[in-house]
Amino acid sequence: MDKSKLLFYDAYEDFYAMAGVSKAFGAYCKDAFGEDFSQDGFSNLEQIDMILPYIPGGKDISILDIGCGNGKALGYLQRKTGAYIYGFDYSEQAIRSARALFTERSEFRESIIGETDYPEEKFDVIISMDTMYFAQDMTAFVTQIKRWLKQEGIFFVGYQEGDVLPKTSDAETTILAKALKHNKMKYEVTDITRQTYDLLVTKRRAAVKHHAEFVAEGYGSWFDLIMGQTECVTEPYAQFKEKMARYIYVARKSGE
């Protein structure tokens, strides 16, 4: 497959090449998100910490991150829990970085949704932070995820509408919710649209703070991109929520 035809592929190759060397971007991430996970989207420290209560204790715990990027969020979860970490991403740059950064109790694959597979009942927790929209058939992909989960396994999803995916009426009408219901996975959902608006405000302020550093490194275009991504919070929250929504879904395999 010509990966350059996949959604955002070339942009993410450039992004992870920049993230691997830019001190300005690392400093920006810490100010915007509370920790440098090389975030392009919305996975701040608070959201990643929400995963921790769902990771069981023990020596043989396995976590899979769908669209793991350079693995920094997984590395953080590993430091907190000692789990074995797995991740896959279509970005060659991202996986090269992940393999260099996290060499113990880890496995990283350069692969895409629909072309990678894992053994049945392999994982205690599977994470997808803003990556489910890369699936051409979300219902079929959830079927696969359910098979990968252990019987008491958890599927933790950060899911946004209004940008890549069209906004539906509420959390029960999203494409993901329909896919989970089709697969008979019970789930809980939290609306974090307000928190997302506030996070975008913080991202915008952090970018401005580090503007001169981005420019000095030759990455002024990334500053411009962040400002473009956060332009939506120059309007009041009431208008923002009419166009955008963000949810955290926590689904269980043993929901039948």
Side-chain angles (χ1 to χ4, degrees):
M1 175 182 286
D2 182 1
K3 290 199 294 183
S4 66
K5 296 180 180 179
L6 296 174
L7 185 67
F8 305 141
Y9 177 76
D10 289 335
Y12 272 120
E13 284 293 270
D14 291 342
F15 172 81
Y16 284 110
M18 176 277 298
V21 297
S22 173
K23 293 182 180 179
F25 184 73
Y28 152 78
C29 284
K30 287 185 178 180
D31 285 340
F33 303 102
E35 187 62 59
D36 173 17
F37 299 140
S38 294
Q39 294 97 326
D40 179 48
F42 305 94
S43 301
N44 67 359
L45 184 60
E46 181 180 358
Q47 291 179 22
I48 299 302
D49 277 344
M50 289 173 67
I51 302 167
L52 290 171
Y54 299 103
I55 300 174
K59 295 183 179 179
D60 298 316
I61 303 304
S62 296
I63 305 171
L64 171 67
D65 189 357
I66 297 164
C68 63
N70 60 14
K72 286 187 176 181
L74 272 175
Y76 173 80
L77 294 174
Q78 185 182 61
R79 291 196 302 274
K80 292 289 186 177
T81 67
Y84 201 111
I85 53 175
Y86 297 76
F88 72 91
D89 200 291
Y90 69 178
S91 168
E92 179 183 354
Q93 287 279 357
I95 294 302
R96 185 184 302 123
S97 295
R99 287 171 175 165
L101 288 168
F102 307 104
T103 60
E104 301 294 329
R105 295 173 58 82
S106 63
E107 178 191 297
F108 294 98
R109 298 181 182 180
E110 182 188 341
S111 190
I112 65 173
I113 291 171
E115 293 189 4
T116 196
D117 201 8
Y118 292 95
E120 186 173 352
E121 297 194 2
K122 173 73 174 175
F123 301 108
D124 297 276
V125 178
I126 297 178
I127 304 160
S128 169
M129 300 303 286
D130 300 290
T131 55
M132 289 302 291
Y133 57 74
F134 286 97
Q136 294 186 1
D137 184 335
M138 200 177 296
T139 297
F141 187 43
V142 170
T143 301
Q144 193 173 29
I145 289 167
K146 183 178 179 181
R147 183 170 57 81
W148 295 342
L149 280 171
K150 293 180 182 179
Q151 191 59 35
E152 300 302 319
I154 293 290
F155 180 35
F156 187 100
V157 190
Y159 186 86
Q160 181 149 312
E161 293 187 327
D163 42 17
V164 178
L165 294 173
K167 186 177 182 299
T168 61
S169 58
D170 55 40
E172 298 300 328
T173 58
T174 67
I175 299 171
L176 177 59
K178 292 176 180 178
L180 293 170
K181 291 171 185 175
H182 178 86
N183 281 278
K184 298 181 180 179
M185 294 182 73
K186 289 186 177 180
Y187 62 85
E188 304 152 11
V189 59
T190 304
D191 187 327
I192 58 167
T193 306
R194 176 74 222 198
Q195 293 95 314
T196 299
Y197 179 87
D198 294 340
L199 175 57
L200 286 165
V201 171
T202 302
K203 285 177 64 172
R204 194 171 179 85
R205 290 173 179 165
V208 171
K209 176 181 176 181
H210 296 285
H211 180 205
E213 297 159 56
F214 276 111
V215 172
E217 290 182 345
Y219 292 125
S221 61
W222 290 103
F223 167 83
D224 294 338
L225 180 63
I226 295 166
M227 295 303 285
Q229 289 175 338
T230 58
E231 182 70 25
C232 53
V233 294
T234 60
E235 63 185 18
Y237 174 68
Q239 295 179 34
F240 174 85
K241 71 176 182 178
E242 292 300 315
K243 304 172 186 176
M244 305 285 288
R246 182 167 173 78
Y247 308 106
I248 296 290
Y249 288 85
V250 178
R252 290 169 169 79
K253 175 174 182 172
S254 55
E256 297 128 316

